[in-house]
């Protein structure tokens, strides 16, 4: 079975631009979470969606937004990019929500570089 | 509140044991452990729940002390494949927000 797939794998943008990252969860998984991982740090929670509804939001500015589609795939959008947005963006899917029982399956990530 | 992990890094020889600790200043509802190898995605190891229930599929054991708000991951008879960065995560107030610590880098040498 296919795992969590993310696209693009690498991308380079300039300050002020906008970026859209895409994620396809494991078949049958209804929950998708987004994390930002800066080099040398743990993943930081951005959003979590379950059954197309936002269930959690991390401490990120409004420039960050996301949505989940009827087929449970998801997009993360970041507007007005800053140099500090350079990071690995990880998508994770789970069968149920994360609370207490949800094992997360992570994709390989999208590495964003902002120049 | 980000969980605090210790040590930050540890170097072992194959066959040696290691303990990685995770603590929080806030109440822990559950503790989630993941391992990330260099250049790869994090991989699930274990979830520890209040009341002692554990869910995992690796030959790794862990403990969860609810009163002390601490968890420890025990790596016994370490193998080269154990190398990587270990992250513990805690849920914020029973929400869906999983907050990870900064990680513990484990290196196992032959």
């Amino acid at each position: 079975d296919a795992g969590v797939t993310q696209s693009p794998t690498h991308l380079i943008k300039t300050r002020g631009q906008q970026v859209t990252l895409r994620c396809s969860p494991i078949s049958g998984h209804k929950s998708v979470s987004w994390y930002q991982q800066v080099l040398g740090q743990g993943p930081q929670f951005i959003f979590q969606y379950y059954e197309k509804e936002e269930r959690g939001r991390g401490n990120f500015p409004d420039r960050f937004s996301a949505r989940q589609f009827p087929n449970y795939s998801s997009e993360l959008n970041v507007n007005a990019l800053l140099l500090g947005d350079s990071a690995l963006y990880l998508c994770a899917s789970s069968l149920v929500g994360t609370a207490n029982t949800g094992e997360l399956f992570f994709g390989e990530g999208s590495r964003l570089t902002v120049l | 509140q980000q969980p605090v992990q210790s040590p930050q890094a540890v170097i072992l020889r194959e066959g040696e044991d290691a303990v990685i600790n995770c603590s929080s200043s806030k109440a822990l509802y559950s503790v989630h452990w993941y391992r990330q190898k260099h250049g790869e995605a994090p991989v699930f190891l274990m979830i520890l729940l209040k009341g002692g229930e554990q869910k995992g599929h690796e030959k790794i054991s862990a403990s969860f002390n609810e009163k002390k708000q601490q968890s420890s991951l025990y790596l016994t008879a370490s193998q080269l494949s154990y190398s990587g960065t270990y992250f513990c995560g805690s849920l914020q107030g029973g929400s869906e927000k999983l907050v990870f610590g900064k990680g513990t880098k484990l290196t196992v040498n032959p």
Side-chain angles (χ1 to χ4, degrees):
Chain A
D1 286 341
V4 177
T5 57
Q6 293 187 242
S7 64
T9 54
H10 295 82
L11 67 166
I12 300 173
K13 294 284 187 177
T14 56
R15 280 178 298 175
Q17 285 189 312
Q18 175 263 345
V19 67
T20 297
L21 307 177
R22 296 176 176 82
C23 172
S24 293
I26 291 172
S27 178
H29 285 193
K30 299 180 179 180
S31 174
V32 169
S33 302
W34 286 96
Y35 288 83
Q36 180 196 66
Q37 188 175 28
V38 175
L39 195 63
Q41 299 291 317
Q44 274 201 299
F45 176 86
I46 310 176
F47 287 109
Q48 196 248 347
Y49 280 80
Y50 180 69
E51 286 279 19
K52 301 178 285 291
E53 289 189 3
E54 182 183 303
R55 291 293 186 90
R57 174 184 285 255
N59 297 326
F60 281 80
D62 292 343
R63 300 185 295 108
F64 288 76
S65 63
R67 54 180 175 169
Q68 186 176 32
F69 300 99
N71 66 352
Y72 302 110
S73 67
S74 178
E75 284 183 353
L76 175 70
N77 294 287
V78 187
N79 294 323
L81 286 167
L82 303 174
L83 295 179
D85 295 332
S86 295
L88 179 67
Y89 288 85
L90 293 165
C91 172
S93 75
S94 60
L95 197 58
V96 295
T98 310
N100 292 333
T101 61
E103 171 186 348
L104 295 177
F105 293 83
F106 282 89
E108 296 291 329
S110 294
R111 182 160 300 279
L112 171 65
T113 302
V114 182
L115 301 176
Chain B
Q1 190 79 19
Q2 185 178 41
V4 177
Q5 291 185 232
S6 63
Q8 290 184 323
V10 58
I11 300 175
L12 300 173
R13 289 198 177 275
E14 251 186 311
E16 293 181 337
D17 302 338
V19 179
I20 299 173
N21 301 302
C22 175
S23 64
S24 174
S25 59
K26 288 195 172 183
L28 290 173
Y29 294 88
S30 60
V31 179
H32 304 231
W33 287 96
Y34 286 78
R35 177 175 61 209
Q36 185 176 30
K37 294 180 181 287
H38 182 69
E40 298 181 9
V43 173
F44 169 80
L45 294 176
M46 183 173 294
I47 293 176
L48 300 108
L49 307 175
K50 274 188 165 183
E53 184 180 357
Q54 297 186 11
K55 297 186 178 185
H57 50 74
E58 283 265 350
K59 292 181 180 178
I60 293 173
S61 63
S63 65
F64 180 21
N65 187 320
E66 299 164 34
K67 287 185 178 179
K68 292 186 176 180
Q69 296 167 187
Q70 294 176 347
S71 176
S72 294
L73 191 69
Y74 303 97
L75 303 163
T76 56
S78 59
Q79 306 170 16
L80 295 177
S81 62
Y82 286 8
S83 292
T85 301
Y86 289 76
F87 295 102
C88 73
S90 66
L91 287 176
Q92 300 291 293
S95 72
E96 300 288 343
K97 182 178 177 181
L98 185 60
V99 179
F100 286 98
K102 292 186 176 181
T104 295
K105 185 174 181 181
L106 177 73
T107 303
V108 181
N109 293 320

